[in-house]
């Protein structure tokens, strides 16, 4: 049974190119499966989440992060009687537009594009991937996903103004996305805040003492674990506390979202879309703790001395290659050269699309072949 404000697949606005129904999978289940079978989904395995040079095979990459977001999102969707198939599709696709080298790659691509009066945004790039770059069907370009999945790709984490983005007019930019999409930004954060504490601790970049001192929601749960398992090792206490922290964040998100929906007077999806603000949210207290954990990770992990080198390397590689192909578009693969020649896209956009699709391994190879070799000759 779906809540009255959930997205009912029977009410979907449908696909760009109409298709006959499948005998045993509904349209959101099919979208989820199309995403799993996409090339861009498989490439997530070799894209940085936090650690560019993988410290250890135990750490997250963008694919395992994505699977964790899908797990958390699906649990919440089922408890709130939302459309779990739509939520799962949105979780699985949410990072598909990320370039190599995580945020260093994204920042550098955006900086390079701004030199040409353009920009790079991973949500909009994700939409281009599913609409155009995935070539699997004889009948249409892209994956031909339903409206609701495409809308969720661009609207799950921020609002785009209709004035700045006339090309997105079809996505109801003056309305909120459904709860199924609103959830994703928050489950994404639950997943990476807890996972990055885990990997940061395992990598010896974060100490238990610092985490306990600076992350209250962790400390609260750690004290409870110490009472229950006084003789367990620090590592096991850490794991138990982190698990409890994740559970506390999920529980708060479920309960607070449910309460907000009840108090809002929203009775159906139309009301929810027209409500002045997003209703999926943590409670103010837990939201402050979430923000505190995130701030700690920024200061002590993402911007730490130890990770500076790998971030600088990522920025240099992306910047070097962008410059290389802008100066010498002839060395692009033929399909990309044809796009420039046809005038469909600007040279900068074509180079940006090519780089954004790369895995960490592939871009490193390209850099060695085209830039480092040229320097050493
Ligand atoms: Mg993510």
């Amino acid at each position: 049974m779906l809540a009255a404000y959930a997205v009912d697949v029977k009410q979907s606005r449908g696909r760009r190119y109409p298709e006959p129904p499948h005998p045993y999978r509904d349209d959101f289940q099919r979208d989820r499966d199309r995403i799993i079978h996409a090339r861009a989904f498989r490439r997530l395995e070799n894209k940085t989440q936090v650690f560019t040079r993988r410290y250890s095979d135990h750490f997250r990459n963008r694919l395992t992060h994505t699977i964790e977001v899908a797990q958390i999102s699906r649990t919440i969707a089922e408890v709130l009687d939302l459309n779990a198939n739509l939520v799962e599709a949105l979780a699985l696709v949410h990072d598909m537009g990320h370039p190599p080298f995580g945020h260093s790659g994204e920042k550098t691509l955006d900086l390079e594009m701004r030199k040409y009066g353009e920009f790079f945004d991973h949500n909009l790039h994700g939409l281009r991937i599913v609409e155009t770059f995935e070539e699997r069907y004889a009948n249409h370009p892209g994956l031909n996903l339903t409206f609701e999945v495409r809308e969720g790709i661009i609207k799950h984490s921020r609002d785009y103004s209709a004035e700045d983005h006339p090309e997105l007019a079809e996505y109801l930019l003056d309305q909120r996305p459904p709860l199924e999409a609103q959830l994703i930004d928050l489950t994404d954060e639950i997943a990476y805040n807890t996972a990055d504490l885990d990997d940061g601790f395992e990598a010896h970049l974060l100490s238990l003492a610092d985490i306990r001192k600076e992350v209250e929601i962790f400390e609260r749960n750690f004290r409870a674990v110490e009472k229950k398992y006084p003789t367990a090792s620090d590592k096991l206490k850490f794991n138990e506390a982190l698990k409890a922290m994740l559970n506390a964040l999920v529980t708060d998100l479920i309960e607070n979202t449910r309460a907000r929906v009840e108090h809002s007077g929203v009775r159906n999806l139309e009301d929810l879309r027209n409500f002045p603000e997003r209703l999926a949210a943590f409670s103010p207290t837990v939201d402050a703790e979430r923000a505190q954990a995130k701030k700690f990770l920024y200061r002590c992990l993402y911007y730490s001395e130890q990770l500076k080198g790998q971030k600088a390397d990522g920025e240099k590689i992306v910047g070097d290659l962008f410059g290389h192909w802008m100066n010498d578009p002839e060395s692009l693969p033929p399909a990309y050269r044809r796009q420039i020649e046809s005038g469909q896209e600007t040279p900068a956009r074509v180079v940006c699309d090519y780089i954004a699709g790369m895995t960490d391994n592939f871009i490193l190879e390209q850099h060695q072949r085209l830039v480092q070799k040229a320097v050493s000759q």
Side-chain angles (χ1 to χ4, degrees):
M1 262 300 280
L2 287 182
Y5 42 80
V7 180
D8 183 345
V9 69
K10 291 194 281 303
Q11 249 95 69
S12 167
R13 285 165 209 247
R15 306 184 184 282
R16 233 182 248 299
Y17 306 90
E19 294 179 34
H22 192 274
Y24 49 83
R25 288 179 304 157
D26 74 30
D27 279 344
F28 294 150
Q29 291 173 320
R30 291 174 85 185
D31 281 4
R32 173 201 59 203
D33 299 346
R34 286 174 190 201
I35 290 160
I36 290 173
H37 288 268
R39 290 210 315 189
F41 184 76
R42 293 196 290 281
R43 293 199 301 266
L44 293 172
E45 181 188 23
N46 194 240
K47 292 206 183 210
T48 294
Q49 183 65 19
V50 173
F51 296 95
T52 302
R53 289 191 205 106
R54 293 183 64 194
Y55 274 51
S56 151
D57 283 345
H58 297 149
F59 291 0
R60 276 80 176 175
N61 57 48
R62 218 164 263 287
L63 179 64
T64 62
H65 158 73
T66 292
I67 294 169
E68 291 180 358
V69 174
Q71 178 274 313
I72 294 168
S73 306
R74 191 167 181 108
T75 298
I76 297 174
E78 283 168 356
V79 177
L80 292 177
D81 294 327
L82 299 175
N83 193 316
N85 293 323
L86 174 58
V87 166
E88 195 175 13
L90 291 176
L92 291 171
V93 80
H94 89 280
D95 267 355
M96 217 144 92
H98 268 286
F101 303 141
H103 290 283
S104 318
E106 184 172 19
K107 194 178 92 186
T108 310
L109 271 185
D110 188 54
L111 281 172
E112 294 294 338
M113 287 299 277
R114 286 186 190 270
K115 294 180 190 165
Y116 299 90
E118 301 190 59
F119 64 95
F120 176 76
D121 172 300
H122 73 262
N123 291 337
L124 301 183
H125 186 71
L127 186 66
R128 287 160 65 72
I129 290 175
V130 301
E131 286 266 81
T132 316
F133 304 153
E134 286 291 325
E135 293 177 333
R136 303 181 54 84
Y137 299 90
N139 269 339
H140 53 74
L143 302 178
N144 196 27
L145 301 177
T146 54
F147 173 87
E148 290 75 13
V149 173
R150 286 180 282 127
E151 180 199 23
I153 288 173
I154 53 169
K155 284 160 80 174
H156 72 266
S157 59
R158 55 167 284 203
D159 296 316
Y160 291 84
S161 81
E163 201 184 315
D164 296 341
H165 294 280
E167 78 283 9
L168 302 176
E170 69 179 298
Y171 295 110
L172 318 169
L173 295 182
D174 53 335
Q175 295 184 4
R176 256 40 62 212
L179 272 183
E180 283 84 348
Q182 292 185 25
L183 274 181
I184 301 299
D185 197 39
L186 306 170
T187 54
D188 185 25
E189 213 178 310
I190 292 175
Y192 69 67
N193 281 342
T194 51
D196 295 346
L197 286 175
D198 195 15
D199 291 348
F201 178 61
E202 185 76 18
H204 303 289
L205 297 178
L206 302 174
S207 74
L208 181 56
D210 284 347
I211 298 173
R212 291 190 58 184
K213 196 165 76 202
E214 303 208 37
V215 184
E216 274 170 53
I217 189 166
F218 179 87
E219 170 62 7
R220 202 172 54 239
N221 287 291
F222 193 87
R223 281 202 304 267
V225 168
E226 277 201 309
K227 255 192 210 139
K228 201 169 168 194
Y229 303 108
T231 58
S233 68
D234 273 358
K235 178 63 186 160
L236 284 177
K237 284 181 196 161
F238 174 90
N239 290 348
E240 287 284 348
L242 196 69
K243 198 155 56 80
M245 170 179 161
L246 196 160
N247 195 51
L249 288 165
V250 168
T251 304
D252 182 79
L253 179 55
I254 290 170
E255 287 172 1
N256 194 63
T257 300
R258 184 187 276 141
R260 280 169 64 83
V261 172
E262 271 167 28
H263 292 148
S264 70
V266 158
R267 282 159 313 170
N268 52 42
L269 181 57
E270 196 59 23
D271 289 353
L272 188 120
R273 281 184 172 283
N274 288 301
F275 200 72
E277 56 184 26
R278 293 178 180 229
L279 289 169
F282 297 103
S283 66
T285 316
V286 170
D287 195 55
E289 290 181 327
R290 170 208 61 79
Q292 185 194 40
K294 186 171 178 166
K295 233 170 112 187
F296 170 76
L297 284 165
Y298 267 86
R299 186 161 50 80
C300 299
L301 187 65
Y302 311 145
Y303 288 107
S304 66
E305 257 334 288
Q306 292 97 321
L307 294 192
K308 252 190 193 152
Q310 66 170 42
K311 279 173 62 181
D313 288 352
E315 286 165 18
K316 180 171 165 32
I317 289 168
V318 171
D320 282 354
L321 282 171
F322 195 98
H324 170 84
W325 280 307
M326 287 305 292
N327 289 332
D328 182 15
E330 286 301 304
S331 64
L332 282 166
Y336 291 90
R337 283 206 310 266
R338 277 198 298 277
Q339 273 183 46
I340 295 179
E341 283 154 18
S342 74
Q344 270 174 302
E345 301 286 353
T346 63
R349 180 59 66 194
V350 171
V351 170
C352 179
D353 284 343
Y354 183 40
I355 293 177
M358 292 180 183
T359 60
D360 292 5
N361 276 349
F362 186 75
I363 197 170
L364 275 168
E365 274 168 29
Q366 297 303 306
H367 193 255
Q368 272 159 11
R369 189 170 68 83
L370 296 168
V371 181
Q372 286 179 343
K373 225 174 170 184
V375 171
S376 66
Q377 267 168 3

